[in-house]
C-alpha cells in the first residue's frame, strides 16, 4: 500500500468530499507508485475559495514587508530541501536529476526575487498639471487568486504563480497538475512549516475540469493565473472575458524555432539545437521543434546534428549520465508517436533520426519515446510544422535568405521563444526586430529563462505577463489618487471650477 496524501485548505490537511483518490506513478517506471491523491471537485474548490476569502482581509492588512517575511521563510526551508525535492521532481515528472534540481533552484530564485522586491516601490508619483495637486498611483491586491499550473515545472511555475500574488496581499487557491500531485503536496508542506497564516495559501489536487474549472467560474475568485495548453488557456480567457470583473494571465505553449545562418559557428548551432529540441524530452513551452538552416550549411549542420542525436543517452531520470528521461504521461506518448507517424507518412519528409523505441528492455515499463528528427522543405499546408508536439520531435528546414527564414519563423500562430545562431550582429538584430516572440537568444538554446527577466509570449502563446515583476499586473489593480493641497479647487485642461458663473454671487 502506498500513502494517501491530502488537500491543504485553511491550514489543515483534508480529504476531498468525493471520497475519491487518484494515483501518481513514476513515468520512467509506471510500476512505482508515488502515492494516492485527493480527487477534488467543485465542493472542495468552494471550501478552498471560502478559506482564501476569509483570510484575505487580515493578510492584506499586514505590510508588504511583513508578508514578504513569510515568503523568506518558505525560501529558507526550500533551500534546505533542494536535493530531496529535486529528486522527487525527477521521479514524478521524469526530468533528469540536474533538471529536477534546477526546477527547485528556479523556485528558490523566484522566492528570493519576490521577497527582495517587497522593499521596492510598486506605485509611482505622477506630476499633476495643477501645481497644488499631488497625484500618485497606488496598487491594491485583486483579492483571491486561482493559480492553475502544469506538470513540466512542478515546483518552479507554482512558485512563480504563488509567491508574488501573496506578497501583493492576495490569498491563493492552487490547483496543481494532475500528473505531479506529490510535488504539490511536498511544496505545501514547506508553506505549512513556514507558518503562513491559515487560509492564505490553499491547494486542491485533481483533474482540470473537476477542480480547475470551478475556480475559473467562481464569483469569489478575482484573478486567474494559468500556464498550460493553448486549448485550456483560450477557454479560460473566454470564460473570464464574459465575467467582466475578473483578471487573468495565461501562458501557453509555442512552436519555437532556432535560426542557423550561413556564417554560424557550427559547434554552437548544433549544441543549441540539440539542447532546445531534446532537453526535458522536448516538453518545455520554450522547446524548439523547428530548426531553420541556411541552404549553404544545412548539409553540414544536418550531419552533425544527426550524429549528436544518435548518441543522446535516454533512460531513467535518476540514473547517472542521462540526458533525457521519459514523457510525462500516456497522452504525451500517444500524441508524440502520432505526430512522428504522420511525418513518416509524408512524402515530403526525410526522416533523419528515429529512436522512438530505441530503449532497453529494462525500461519496458516506462513512457519512453526517443529523439526524432526529419528534414523537410517548409510548406504552409503541413500541419506538423505549425502544431505543438511537446515531445522530442524536430523539423530541420532549409531557407535561402534571412527574409525567408523570418517569414517561416512567423508563419505559426504561436510566438514564445526563439534563438538565432550567427556570427553576424546585423542578422541577430534583424531577428530581434522582426521575429514575433517574447523571448529571444543569440548563440544560445531557446530554453533557460532566468526569473528576473520577463517571461511570456505574443500571439497564441499568451498574454506575456506570466512571471517576475510583470505578474504584479495580473494580481493587483491600480488606483490613480490625486490630493489637492489648496483651499481653492482648480481643474486640469482649463475646465472652469466656477459654479456660480453668471449668478449674482
Ligand atoms: P492542460 O492545459 O490540460 O493542463 C494544465 C493545467 O490546467 C493542469 O493543472 C490541468 O489540470 C488544468 N486544466 C485542464 N483543463 C482545465 C479546465 N477546463 N479548467 C481549468 N483548468 C484546467 O495541459 P496538459 O493536458 O497537461 O498537456 C496538454 C498539452 O498542453 C501538452 O501536450 C502541451 O502541448 C501543452 N502544455 C504546455 C505547457 C507549457 O509549458 N506552456 C505545459 C503543459 C502542457
Ligand atoms: Mg489536459
Amino acid at each position: 500500500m502506498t500513502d494517501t496524501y491530502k488537500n491543504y485548505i485553511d491550514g489543515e490537511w483534508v480529504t476531498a468530499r468525493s471520497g475519491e483518490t487518484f494515483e501518481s506513478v513514476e513515468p520512467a517506471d509506471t510500476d512505482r507508485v508515488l502515492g494516492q491523491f485527493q480527487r477534488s471537485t467543485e465542493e472542495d474548490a468552494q471550501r478552498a475559495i471560502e478559506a482564501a476569502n476569509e483570510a484575505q482581509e487580515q493578510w492584506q492588512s499586514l505590510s508588504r514587508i511583513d508578508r514578504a517575511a513569510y515568503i523568506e521563510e518558505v525560501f529558507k526551508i526550500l533551500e534546505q530541501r533542494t536535493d530531496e525535492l529535486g529528486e522527487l521532481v525527477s521521479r514524478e515528472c521524469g526530468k533528469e536529476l540536474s533538471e529536477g534540481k534546477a526546477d527547485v533552484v528556479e523556485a528558490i530564485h523566484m522566492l528570493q526575487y519576490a521577497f527582495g522586491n517587497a522593499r521596492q516601490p510598486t506605485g509611482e508619483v505622477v506630476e499633476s498639471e495643477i501645481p497644488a495637486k499631488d497625484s500618485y498611483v497606488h496598487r491594491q491586491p485583486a483579492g483571491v487568486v486561482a493559480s492553475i499550473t502544469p506538470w513540466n515545472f512542478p515546483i518552479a511555475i507554482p512558485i512563480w504563480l504563488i509567491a508574488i500574488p501573496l506578497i501583493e496581499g492576495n490569498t491563493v487557491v492552487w490547483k496543481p497538475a494532475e500528473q505531479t500531485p506529490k510535488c504539490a503536496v511536498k511544496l505545501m508542506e514547506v508553506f505549512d512549516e513556514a507558518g503562513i497564516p491559515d487560509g492564505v495559501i490553499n491547494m486542491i489536487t485533481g483533474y482540470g475540469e473537476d477542480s480547475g474549472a470551478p475556480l475559473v467560474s467562481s464569483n469569489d475568485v478575482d484573478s486567474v493565473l494559468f500556464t498550460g495548453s493553448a486549448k485550456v488557456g483560450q477557454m479560460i480567457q473566454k470564460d473570464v472575458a464574459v465575467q467582466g470583473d475578473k483578471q487573468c494571465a495565461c501562458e501557453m505553449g509555442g512552436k519555437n524555432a532556432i535560426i542557423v545562418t550561413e556564417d554560424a559557428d557550427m559547434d554552437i548551432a548544433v549544441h543549441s539545437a540539440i539542447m532546445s529540441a531534446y532537453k526535458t524530452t522536448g516538453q518545455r513551452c520554450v522547446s524548439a521543434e523547428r530548426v531553420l538552416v541556411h541552404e549553404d550549411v544545412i548539409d553540414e549542420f544536418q550531419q552533425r546534428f544527426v550524429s549528436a542525436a544518435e548518441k543522446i543517452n535516454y533512460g531513467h531520470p535518476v540514473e547517472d549520465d542521462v540526458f533525457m528521461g521519459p514523457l510525462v504521461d500516456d497522452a504525451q506518448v500517444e500524441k508524440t508517436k502520432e505526430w512522428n507517424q504522420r511525418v513518416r507518412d509524408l512524402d515530403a519528409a526525410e526522416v533523419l533520426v528515429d529512436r522512438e523505441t530505441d530503449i532497453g528492455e529494462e525500461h519496458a515499463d516506462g513512457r519512453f519515446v526517443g529523439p526524432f528528427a526529419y528534414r523537410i522543405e517548409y510548406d504552409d499546408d503541413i500541419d506538423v510544422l505549425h502544431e505543438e508536439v511537446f515531445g522530442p520531435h524536430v523539423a530541420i528546414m532549409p531557407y535561402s535568405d534571412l527574409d525567408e527564414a523570418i517569414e517561416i519563423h512567423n508563419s505559426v500562430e504561436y510566438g514564445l521563444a526563439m534563438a538565432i545562431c550567427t556570427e553576424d550582429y546585423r542578422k541577430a538584430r534583424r531577428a530581434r526586430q522582426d521575429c514575433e516572440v517574447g523571448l529571444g537568444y543569440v548563440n544560445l538554446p531557446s530554453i533557460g529563462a532566468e526569473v528576473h527577466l520577463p517571461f511570456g509570449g505574443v500571439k497564441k502563446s499568451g498574454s506575456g505577463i506570466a512571471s517576475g515583476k510583470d505578474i504584479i499586473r495580473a494580481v493587483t489593480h491600480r488606483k490613480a489618487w490625486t490630493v489637492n493641497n489648496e483651499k481653492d479647487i482648480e481643474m486640469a485642461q482649463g475646465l472652469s471650477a466656477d459654479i456660480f458663473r453668471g449668478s449674482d454671487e
Side-chain angles (χ1 to χ4, degrees):
M1 265 310 280
T2 51
D3 291 336
T4 299
Y5 296 89
K6 295 182 179 166
N7 287 337
Y8 187 69
I9 299 178
D10 206 12
E12 304 280 336
W13 295 99
V14 293
T15 55
R17 288 273 162 83
S18 71
E20 284 180 43
T21 57
F22 66 101
E23 200 169 75
S24 174
V25 299
E26 291 190 17
D29 182 356
T30 55
D31 286 342
R32 291 182 70 149
V33 179
L34 290 163
Q36 308 295 327
F37 298 86
Q38 303 303 312
R39 184 164 179 176
S40 308
T41 60
E42 184 160 5
E43 278 184 276
D44 308 294
Q46 286 309 342
R47 272 173 87 183
I49 294 167
E50 259 166 52
N53 258 305
E54 267 168 37
Q56 202 271 328
E57 219 177 282
Q58 173 68 26
W59 180 244
Q60 183 180 345
S61 75
L62 299 179
S63 77
R64 202 157 172 258
I65 289 165
D66 284 344
R67 291 191 299 262
Y70 286 101
I71 298 302
E72 188 177 359
E73 257 338 280
V74 173
F75 154 79
K76 286 181 191 158
I77 300 166
L78 199 59
E79 209 177 32
Q80 280 167 9
R81 293 180 62 177
T82 304
D83 289 336
E84 169 215 334
L85 284 172
E87 184 178 333
L88 175 61
V89 170
S90 290
R91 291 193 179 279
E92 193 170 41
C93 138
K95 305 199 266 198
E96 54 88 12
L97 275 182
S98 88
E99 284 203 79
K101 191 170 164 184
D103 198 44
V104 184
V105 170
E106 187 176 329
I108 286 169
H109 290 170
M110 181 52 95
L111 290 163
Q112 260 174 339
Y113 176 84
F115 74 72
N117 199 46
R119 286 183 188 268
Q120 291 284 339
T122 52
E124 331 157 42
V125 175
V126 184
E127 196 67 19
S128 168
E129 206 177 299
I130 310 296
K133 290 181 184 173
D134 291 328
S135 293
Y136 57 94
V137 179
H138 177 67
R139 281 195 183 271
Q140 288 191 317
V144 172
V145 171
S147 300
I148 301 176
T149 57
W151 43 266
N152 57 348
F153 289 84
I155 304 288
I157 293 179
I159 289 292
W160 291 9
L161 302 189
I162 291 172
I164 288 180
L166 289 184
I167 287 181
E168 294 307 316
N170 302 279
T171 52
V172 173
V173 178
W174 173 32
K175 210 301 279 174
E178 53 270 33
Q179 296 90 344
T180 49
K182 190 159 183 176
C183 290
V185 167
K186 293 289 153 187
L187 190 55
M188 274 304 96
E189 285 177 7
V190 173
F191 278 84
D192 188 52
E193 200 185 321
I196 296 254
D198 295 350
V200 167
I201 170 83
N202 307 275
M203 187 276 306
I204 53 170
T205 52
Y207 295 93
E209 274 179 39
D210 298 347
S211 52
L215 299 177
V216 178
S217 59
S218 167
N219 287 330
D220 297 320
V221 167
D222 303 287
S223 173
V224 178
L225 307 178
F226 167 85
T227 300
S229 64
K231 187 171 145 246
V232 174
Q234 285 178 338
M235 211 160 70
I236 290 176
Q237 285 171 328
K238 273 192 206 157
D239 276 9
V240 166
V242 294
Q243 293 176 44
D245 57 350
K246 199 175 277 174
Q247 312 181 63
C248 80
C250 294
E251 271 324 300
M252 286 83 91
K255 185 71 178 179
N256 310 298
I258 310 280
I259 297 176
V260 178
T261 63
E262 59 274 36
D263 48 62
D265 177 319
M266 274 298 143
D267 291 335
I268 295 176
V270 172
H271 195 173
S272 298
I274 292 276
M275 290 278 292
S276 308
Y278 299 134
K279 201 78 198 165
T280 327
T281 324
Q283 300 171 110
R284 287 187 182 225
C285 50
V286 290
S287 296
E289 295 179 3
R290 305 183 295 155
V291 187
L292 315 179
V293 190
H294 192 277
E295 60 192 9
D296 289 354
V297 294
I298 192 167
D299 290 336
E300 184 194 351
F301 174 86
Q302 176 180 318
Q303 181 259 319
R304 293 181 60 177
F305 182 94
V306 169
S307 130
E310 291 293 354
K311 286 192 211 113
I312 282 175
N313 189 14
Y314 72 107
H316 196 294
V318 304
E319 282 166 14
D320 283 340
D321 302 327
V322 163
F323 177 82
M324 58 178 247
L327 293 172
V328 76
D329 62 14
D330 292 335
Q332 284 289 128
V333 171
E334 210 175 295
K335 180 169 148 188
T336 307
K337 285 188 169 172
E338 202 180 300
W339 282 116
N340 287 354
Q341 189 52 43
R342 282 164 77 161
V343 169
R344 288 186 203 100
D345 293 343
L346 279 175
D347 287 338
E350 180 195 352
V351 175
L352 305 171
V353 179
D354 188 351
R355 300 180 60 199
E356 189 178 280
T357 54
D358 171 22
I359 187 104
E361 262 309 298
E362 72 277 20
H363 291 308
D365 291 323
R367 294 167 177 150
F368 290 97
V369 174
F372 187 84
Y374 55 107
R375 179 158 165 176
I376 193 165
E377 291 275 340
Y378 176 71
D379 179 344
D380 249 343
D381 295 331
I382 297 178
D383 49 6
V384 70
L385 301 179
H386 297 267
E387 300 282 336
E388 183 182 50
V389 175
F390 226 57
H393 169 114
V394 63
I396 298 173
M397 292 181 269
Y399 69 85
S400 54
D401 62 35
L402 198 55
D403 287 339
E404 189 192 1
I406 288 170
E407 198 182 313
I408 298 174
H409 176 277
N410 292 342
S411 67
V412 296
E413 287 182 290
Y414 292 102
L416 188 53
M418 67 89 56
I420 181 163
C421 295
T422 186
E423 295 296 303
D424 179 347
Y425 70 89
R426 291 187 181 86
K427 294 193 181 103
R429 186 170 190 272
R430 253 310 291 289
R432 189 195 73 198
Q433 295 302 106
D434 295 337
C435 289
E436 298 164 347
V437 286
L439 305 151
Y441 298 89
V442 180
N443 289 326
L444 282 169
S446 61
I447 65 170
E450 297 179 42
V451 303
H452 46 284
L453 278 163
F455 186 96
V458 295
K459 297 158 87 177
K460 205 167 131 183
S461 294
S463 41
I465 51 172
S467 173
K469 206 169 155 189
D470 290 335
I471 207 149
I472 291 180
R473 279 159 49 198
V475 296
T476 57
H477 58 86
R478 292 179 302 175
K479 269 186 191 160
W481 195 253
T482 299
V483 179
N484 179 19
N485 298 295
E486 293 290 352
K487 297 260 183 190
D488 287 339
I489 291 182
E490 194 184 346
M491 306 302 287
Q493 296 117 20
L495 180 73
S496 167
D498 183 358
I499 55 174
F500 299 121
R501 250 204 312 194
S503 78
D504 296 338
E505 287 289 321

